[in-house]
Amino acid sequence: MSLFWRIFLLNASVLFATASLLLLGPVTVSTPVLLTEALILGAGLVVMLIANAALLRVGLAPLQRLTRAMTTTDRPRPGSRPAVSGHGEVAGLIETFNTMLDRLEAERAASSGLALSAQEAERRRIAQELHDEIGQSLTVVLLGLKTAADHAPATLRAELHQVQETTRSSLDEIRRIARRLRPGVLEELGLTSALRTLSGESTTPDRLTVRHHFDADLPQLGPDEELVLHRVAQESLTHIVRHSGARHAHLDVGPGPDGAGTEIRLMTPLRERAK
């Protein structure tokens, strides 16, 4: 029975009982009203109000819980759903709200997947251009500098060698950026090898040492999941190198708390972090 009919029938029954007492019972209303009659009418009114309040509290409690859930729900991360309770329209309203949250989560997941795919496609394109265009151009420049240095006078040879080393360093940096944009090791050898390579690239002789540990019983992951984990580790190591001031970091990859997923833990000693 819907909330409307429950409230209507309760009010109708109370009013019908009151009218029956006035018509069929010995209760009468005098003019002026006697104290006994006023007490009886007041008691009947109080009983009717209490019955209505009890029914409204019980019937509207699910709506109050739904209101709190709608107020506290974070749209990007809806989290838990309010329990379906009540009857009729109230239960239908809660089910509709939960369905809306499910649809929002599904749409957000699909949008995040599309955004990630577009981002990775753009990174792949930039990495390919860096490797094919700028990398090959700098390689040609290096060969030209080597030829020029071999035939240059002794007074210019040292300067040409210095320019050659600067160009080689720039070429190495471009290749490193291209590898970070498009982790070929991840596609060819998998997540573990890619994270080992990333740890080695993040390790610097004078600033940071990255140690790593990988559990042997890691669950099987798809290409998209491996890419997300690699990007998480890459971004975390980048922030550690730039902002933490730590000299040691430990990369630990293992099953998640429930054993179903894979978890990445990156730790640095607290005493080594920048103040």
Side-chain angles (χ1 to χ4, degrees):
M1 187 181 298
S2 66
L3 181 63
F4 168 78
W5 284 110
R6 281 186 288 160
I7 295 178
F8 175 79
L9 291 178
L10 176 65
N11 289 329
S13 61
V14 173
L15 292 175
F16 181 79
T18 304
S20 299
L21 289 175
L22 290 175
L23 293 175
L24 304 177
V27 180
T28 59
V29 179
S30 304
T31 304
V33 180
L34 299 177
L35 179 61
T36 305
E37 297 171 346
L39 291 176
I40 293 174
L41 291 176
L45 180 61
V46 169
V47 170
M48 184 175 65
L49 292 176
I50 292 176
N52 276 275
L55 178 61
L56 288 175
R57 176 173 291 276
V58 173
L60 297 180
L63 289 179
Q64 294 176 351
R65 290 193 294 270
L66 178 61
T67 301
R68 288 195 297 269
M70 296 175 69
T71 304
T72 59
T73 296
D74 185 10
R75 189 175 62 84
R77 294 180 176 83
S80 60
R81 307 286 189 268
V84 179
S85 57
H87 304 278
E89 298 94 335
V90 177
L93 182 60
I94 298 175
E95 290 179 353
T96 303
F97 179 71
N98 290 340
T99 302
M100 182 190 68
L101 292 183
D102 294 337
R103 187 174 65 252
L104 286 175
E105 283 194 342
E107 291 176 354
R108 188 185 70 251
S111 300
S112 300
L114 291 175
L116 180 62
S117 299
Q119 185 182 44
E120 290 302 322
E122 184 66 15
R123 285 179 171 179
R124 190 177 297 108
R125 183 189 65 82
I126 295 174
Q128 193 71 26
E129 290 185 359
L130 286 175
H131 182 271
D132 295 343
E133 302 295 334
I134 300 179
Q136 292 183 4
S137 299
L138 287 179
T139 301
V140 173
V141 172
L142 276 176
L143 295 176
L145 287 172
K146 184 178 183 303
T147 302
D150 292 340
H151 296 85
T155 54
L156 296 177
R157 192 171 300 165
E159 296 182 5
L160 288 174
H161 281 308
Q162 184 177 359
V163 175
Q164 187 179 3
E165 290 302 320
T166 302
T167 306
R168 183 177 288 108
S169 299
S170 300
L171 180 60
D172 293 339
E173 182 66 19
I174 288 175
R175 288 173 176 170
R176 186 186 67 82
I177 293 174
R179 286 195 304 270
R180 290 179 66 86
L181 288 173
R182 183 173 179 266
V185 179
L186 179 64
E187 298 176 358
E188 297 172 1
L189 301 178
L191 179 64
T192 302
S193 298
L195 291 178
R196 285 196 181 97
T197 303
L198 183 63
S199 300
E201 291 177 350
S202 301
T203 298
T204 56
D206 56 342
R207 292 188 60 187
L208 179 67
T209 300
V210 180
R211 296 183 176 86
H212 52 75
H213 173 265
F214 307 101
D215 286 3
D217 54 347
L218 291 178
Q220 188 69 27
L221 301 175
D224 293 339
E225 295 169 328
E226 288 188 346
L227 180 60
V228 170
L229 290 174
H230 183 272
R231 291 301 185 197
V232 169
Q234 186 181 62
E235 189 71 17
S236 301
L237 283 172
T238 299
H239 283 292
I240 288 175
V241 171
R242 292 180 180 177
H243 307 297
S244 72
R247 300 185 62 86
H248 300 85
H250 184 75
L251 176 64
D252 185 15
V253 182
D258 55 355
T262 301
E263 185 179 55
I264 288 183
R265 296 173 291 272
L266 246 173
M267 295 162 284
T268 58
L270 182 61
R271 64 179 179 276
E272 295 182 356
R273 298 174 190 173
K275 296 182 180 179

